[in-house]
């Protein structure tokens, strides 16, 4: 008897959840893949994917003696960073997306995207990736399914999320209770920048991304789900989805305080999250535990505190500048089982980037023989993708389904002038204002000019999925009776002197600032009384500077006149982002 061919749209494996099967069938009918693969998240599946990508040249094996299990991917040279100008939030009402987002009407956006997706997976495999953002058994976690035609995306999603059968089982269980999952549809398309869009539909909990295979544009669990859609969901449900690292700071008394910190893209969140204290501090018993390096979901607990999880399971970190001096923990993390993207290689095929060491690379990020005349050997936004568990400072509390209680929230930016090393906000409302006033000099994490000062409230300018005015109001709403909110601080590691040199050594020495912060939380460390408009600065001598070369007192002061000018600039920046909202006519 002849076997009846399976209709293309019916997956070989599939889910018992009709809503999921139907969506996969609908997408397959539109995109016309040759095959459908439901990802189970197993080691065998990962090994098969890697072998397939090595065979077709998508991945290049690196030196397996020095970097076992590690591979290099070279992205299309026009596809090397997030594309904010092509990223849209598509709400029914334009005003809900706010002036901080590019907006398109959902009907128009769907039509535009579906025209691009039409037949785009012919000759390719459609992968169905069920994933969970957060510990798989956590009530704070949220699930999604990404459909993609990129095996590179599948491999990265396996490192970055809890992906596969356990996530599918949770999606099915929640589906039985009528709880939706986030639907992310992605195709690399032709990798043509003129046919590239990243569209978010928060009212439908869905994402459509076409034309890029890179990072935040393509790994839809990360910026698209865990920040843009999650911030929308968080507002509806009364929690916060933030662009923050989470670290645990263990004091000599054996108490661990959890700190969440928001810095704009590529301003050192990974370095701070993995900080190794200087020897004198280690000897006294200080230790840093890494819970997360990029995203933090905070929910008010029954005890009034904010409880946080890291929704991610891996790091997609910036390689250039990562070294034994700046971040030894990151370097140890990426010695094996790591996917590198757009780094250079040495003549013995080891990954290399600017700032790593003084070797001279053999090939640059595009695979050309290295020539300084072509620019940096590694792309400035070159990345490593790696499981968080490989980090020597990985905190087992990263798997705690309840999350960790947050003692302090820290905002910061890259500011060559004005901003002192650290100050404390007077109260929650002032803290929200401090976060909303954040500014920073831009980096290579997104396309656009580098080194330009831009306002980036709460480091969420590229990632808040709704109107910033509503977002600030949401932050303010946490201050209610019974709340035991974290103290709020602002730091700046990047202040420069007249000679253009950094005034603060940074990296491991930043523990001195964290020590003051937890001292303030515990009511031990002294502030200056706050008799000025900035907030509360450290009292003289309250930050331990022992053993450092002389530190400029300018780092601990603020010029009142310059501060007033900053306030005007903040007001202009916030107005440009539509805040405060104009009163409606009538
Ligand atoms: O996703 C990218 O294309 C690079 S940007 C990035 C990657 C990891 C963590 N954060 C960011 C960011 O831009 O904030
Ligand atoms: Mn980030």
């Amino acid at each position: 008897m002849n076997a009846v061919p399976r209709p293309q749209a019916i997956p070989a494996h599939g889910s018992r959840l009709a809503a999921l099967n139907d969506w996969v069938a609908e997408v397959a009918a539109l995109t016309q893949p040759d095959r459908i693969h439901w990802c189970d998240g197993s080691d065998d599946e990962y090994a098969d994917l890697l072998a397939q990508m090595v065979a077709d040249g998508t991945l290049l094996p690196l030196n397996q003696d020095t970097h076992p299990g590690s591979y290099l991917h070279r992205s299309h040279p026009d596809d090397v960073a997030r594309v904010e100008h092509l990223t849209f939030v598509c709400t029914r009402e334009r005003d809900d997306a706010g002036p901080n987002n590019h907006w398109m009407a959902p009907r128009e956006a769907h039509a535009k995207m579906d025209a691009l997706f039409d037949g785009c997976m012919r000759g390719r495999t459609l992968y169905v990736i069920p994933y969970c953002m957060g510990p798989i058994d956590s009530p704070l976690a949220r699930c999604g399914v990404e459909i993609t035609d990129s095996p590179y995306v599948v491999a990265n999603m396996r490192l970055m999320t809890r992906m596969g059968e356990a996530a599918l089982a949770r999606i099915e269980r929640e589906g039985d209770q009528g709880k939706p999952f986030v639907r992310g549809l992605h195709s690399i398309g032709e990798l043509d920048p003129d046919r590239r869009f990243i569209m978010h539909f928060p009212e439908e909990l869905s994402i459509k991304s076409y034309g890029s295979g890179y990072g935040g544009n393509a790994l839809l669990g990360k910026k698209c789900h865990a920040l843009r859609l999650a911030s929308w969901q968080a507002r509806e449900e009364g929690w916060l989805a933030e662009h923050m690292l989470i670290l645990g700071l263990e004091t000599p008394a054996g108490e661990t305080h959890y700190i969440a910190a928001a810095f704009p893209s590529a301003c050192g969140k990974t370095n701070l999250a993995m900080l190794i204290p200087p020897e004198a501090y280690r000897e006294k018993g200080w230790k840093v535990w890494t819970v997360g390096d990029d995203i933090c979901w905070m929910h008010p607990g029954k005890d009034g505190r904010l409880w946080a999880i890291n929704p991610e399971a891996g790091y997609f970190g910036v390689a250039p500048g990562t070294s034994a001096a700046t971040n030894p923990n990151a370097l140890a993390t990426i010695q094996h089982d790591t996917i590198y993207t757009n780094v250079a290689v040495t003549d013995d095929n080891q990954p290399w980037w600017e700032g790593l060491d003084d070797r001279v690379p053999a090939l640059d990020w595009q695979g050309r023989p290295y020539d300084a005349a072509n620019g940096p050997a590694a792309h400035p936004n070159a990345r490593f993708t790696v499981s968080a568990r490989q980090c020597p400072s990985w905190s087992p509390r990263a798997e705690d389904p309840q999350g960790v209680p947050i003692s302090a929230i820290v905002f910061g930016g890259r500011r060559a002038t004005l901003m002192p090393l650290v100050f404390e906000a007077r109260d929650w409302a002032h803290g929200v204002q401090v976060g909303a006033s954040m500014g920073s000099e831009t980096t290579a994490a997104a396309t656009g000019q580098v080194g330009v000062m831009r306002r980036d409230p709460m480091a969420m300018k590229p990632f808040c999925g709704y109107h910033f005015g509503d977002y600030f109001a949401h932050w303010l709403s946490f201050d209610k009776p019974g709340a035991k909110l974290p103290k709020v601080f602002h730091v700046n590691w990047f202040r420069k002197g007249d000679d253009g040199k950094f005034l603060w050594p940074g990296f491991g020495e930043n523990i001195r600032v964290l020590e003051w912060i937890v001292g303030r939380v515990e009511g031990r460390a002294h502030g200056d009384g706050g008799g000025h408009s900035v907030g509360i600065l450290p009292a003289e001598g309250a930050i331990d500077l022992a053993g450092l070369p002389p530190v400029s007192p300018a780092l601990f002061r603020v010029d009142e006149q310059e501060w007033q000018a900053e306030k005007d600039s903040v007001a202009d920046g916030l107005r440009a982002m539509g805040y405060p909202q104009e009163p409606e006519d009538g």
Side-chain angles (χ1 to χ4, degrees):
M1 198 176 80
N2 285 341
V4 180
R6 251 179 208 281
Q8 172 65 65
I10 298 181
H13 164 75
S15 159
R16 66 174 180 75
L17 192 64
L20 176 51
N21 273 342
D22 291 350
W23 176 55
V24 173
E26 196 185 296
V27 169
L30 174 66
T31 58
Q32 296 289 307
D34 281 12
R35 289 164 297 279
I36 295 177
H37 176 91
W38 287 71
C39 299
D40 61 17
S42 64
D43 291 346
D44 284 352
E45 178 182 75
Y46 186 63
D48 286 350
L49 277 168
L50 294 181
Q52 175 198 322
M53 285 190 280
V54 169
D56 70 15
T58 305
L59 289 186
L60 304 166
L62 288 163
N63 186 324
Q64 296 296 302
D65 294 330
T66 58
H67 292 75
S70 298
Y71 298 84
L72 166 64
H73 173 67
R74 293 194 181 114
S75 77
H76 190 287
D78 287 332
D79 185 28
V80 291
R82 290 185 291 101
V83 282
E84 288 175 19
H85 61 296
L86 303 175
T87 299
F88 289 74
V89 170
C90 308
T91 46
R92 285 189 297 267
E93 297 294 330
R94 180 181 206 133
D95 202 39
D96 289 339
N100 45 305
N101 282 300
H102 300 296
W103 176 85
M104 198 179 288
R107 190 193 295 262
E108 188 191 339
H110 279 303
K112 191 177 193 64
M113 297 307 280
D114 291 352
L116 293 170
F117 279 112
D118 193 357
C120 72
M121 295 190 191
R122 273 192 207 108
R124 300 180 186 170
T125 300
L126 179 159
Y127 297 92
V128 183
I129 313 170
Y131 64 86
C132 181
M133 300 310 292
I136 196 86
D137 51 352
S138 170
L140 313 186
R142 295 288 184 275
C143 290
V145 177
E146 174 166 357
I147 292 179
T148 181
D149 55 8
S150 162
Y152 167 82
V153 165
V154 180
N156 277 267
M157 284 290 283
R158 183 169 188 272
L159 295 170
M160 295 300 297
T161 71
R162 282 88 172 167
M163 176 269 249
E165 273 178 358
L168 181 60
R170 178 168 170 164
I171 290 165
E172 290 173 341
R173 248 189 348 265
E174 292 184 344
D176 292 342
Q177 298 155 11
K179 227 174 149 181
F181 57 90
V182 165
R183 296 165 187 225
L185 172 55
H186 168 254
S187 171
I188 55 173
E190 310 81 28
L191 294 175
D192 175 354
D194 293 330
R195 287 164 57 82
R196 178 175 299 160
F197 292 99
I198 296 92
M199 303 275 190
H200 303 76
F201 304 88
E203 289 148 340
E204 305 165 15
L205 290 186
S206 77
I207 306 152
K208 289 184 176 175
S209 165
Y210 189 90
S212 166
Y214 200 85
N217 300 333
L219 313 179
L220 301 186
K222 193 172 178 58
K223 303 298 187 180
C224 299
H225 177 165
L227 286 175
R228 298 194 189 96
L229 292 193
S231 60
W232 178 284
Q233 263 186 306
R235 178 180 170 226
E236 284 186 333
E237 298 172 7
W239 49 283
L240 290 164
E242 298 301 324
H243 190 202
M244 293 178 175
L245 67 89
I246 310 168
L247 65 81
L249 182 60
E250 188 175 328
T251 68
E255 185 162 356
T256 302
H257 287 284
Y258 292 91
I259 298 175
F263 303 145
S265 303
C267 283
K269 285 204 300 298
T270 307
N271 291 348
L272 185 63
M274 297 180 187
L275 182 150
I276 298 182
E279 198 179 340
Y281 273 76
R282 290 201 303 274
E283 279 168 3
K284 281 190 258 176
W286 291 92
K287 182 152 184 17
V288 169
W289 297 96
T290 310
V291 180
D293 80 329
D294 195 42
I295 301 180
C296 165
W297 288 356
M298 286 182 284
H299 292 245
K302 288 200 178 77
D303 62 358
R305 293 189 287 176
L306 292 181
W307 290 75
I309 59 166
N310 169 15
E312 301 191 281
Y315 310 121
F316 187 66
V318 189
T322 304
S323 72
T326 62
N327 192 339
N329 274 333
L331 209 55
T333 307
I334 58 179
Q335 289 312 298
H336 63 97
D337 297 297
T338 301
I339 298 178
Y340 291 89
T341 301
N342 292 344
V343 297
V345 288
T346 58
D347 55 6
D348 62 347
N349 204 26
Q350 295 190 45
W352 191 90
W353 48 84
E354 277 71 16
L356 176 61
D357 53 36
D358 53 14
R359 285 175 296 171
V360 176
L363 302 179
D364 72 8
W365 64 281
Q366 297 187 64
R368 301 173 296 193
Y370 173 62
D371 179 349
N374 288 331
H379 187 278
N381 194 35
R383 297 275 167 170
F384 52 77
T385 323
V386 68
S387 164
R389 284 170 177 267
Q390 288 184 198
C391 181
S393 59
W394 179 76
S395 165
R397 293 288 300 270
E399 286 296 340
D400 191 328
Q402 304 311 317
V404 295
I406 298 296
S407 301
I409 289 177
V410 178
F411 294 115
R414 187 180 280 273
R415 298 293 298 268
T417 56
L418 178 72
M419 282 293 172
L421 182 62
V422 58
F423 66 91
E424 179 186 331
R426 287 183 288 274
D427 54 26
W428 181 258
H430 182 221
V432 173
Q433 186 198 312
V434 168
S437 307
M438 270 172 62
S440 192
E441 288 139 26
T442 52
T443 65
T447 50
Q449 242 187 319
V450 171
V452 176
M453 168 55 199
R454 86 165 179 179
R455 292 286 151 203
D456 191 353
M458 274 85 168
M460 284 289 278
K461 168 76 185 67
F463 306 121
C464 182
Y466 62 102
H467 195 300
F468 255 152
D470 296 331
Y471 173 73
F472 301 142
H474 181 50
W475 263 83
L476 290 168
S477 75
F478 284 81
D479 193 2
K480 49 181 147 213
K484 298 197 182 88
L485 294 169
K487 278 182 174 289
V488 180
F489 299 83
H490 186 281
V491 299
N492 177 25
W493 316 135
F494 300 96
R495 179 92 174 258
K496 289 182 178 169
D498 295 339
D499 58 1
K501 293 200 176 127
F502 289 114
L503 292 180
W504 178 248
F507 305 110
E509 305 298 350
N510 292 338
I511 188 120
R512 297 167 189 269
V513 176
L514 300 183
E515 179 184 22
W516 183 73
I517 287 174
V518 300
R520 294 293 297 165
V521 168
E522 291 180 352
R524 289 183 290 102
H526 294 295
D528 72 344
H532 43 73
S533 38
V534 180
I536 301 161
L537 290 160
E540 203 173 331
I543 293 200
D544 180 3
L545 302 176
L548 291 180
V551 173
S552 166
L555 263 181
F556 302 97
R557 284 200 295 261
V558 175
D559 180 291
E560 277 288 333
Q561 247 180 356
E562 284 180 38
W563 194 257
Q564 291 308 321
E566 169 78 359
K567 277 164 103 176
D568 294 342
S569 149
V570 167
D572 289 347
L574 289 178
R575 262 194 299 276
M577 286 182 258
Y579 186 81
Q581 285 168 274
E582 297 297 332
E584 279 171 27
D585 289 345

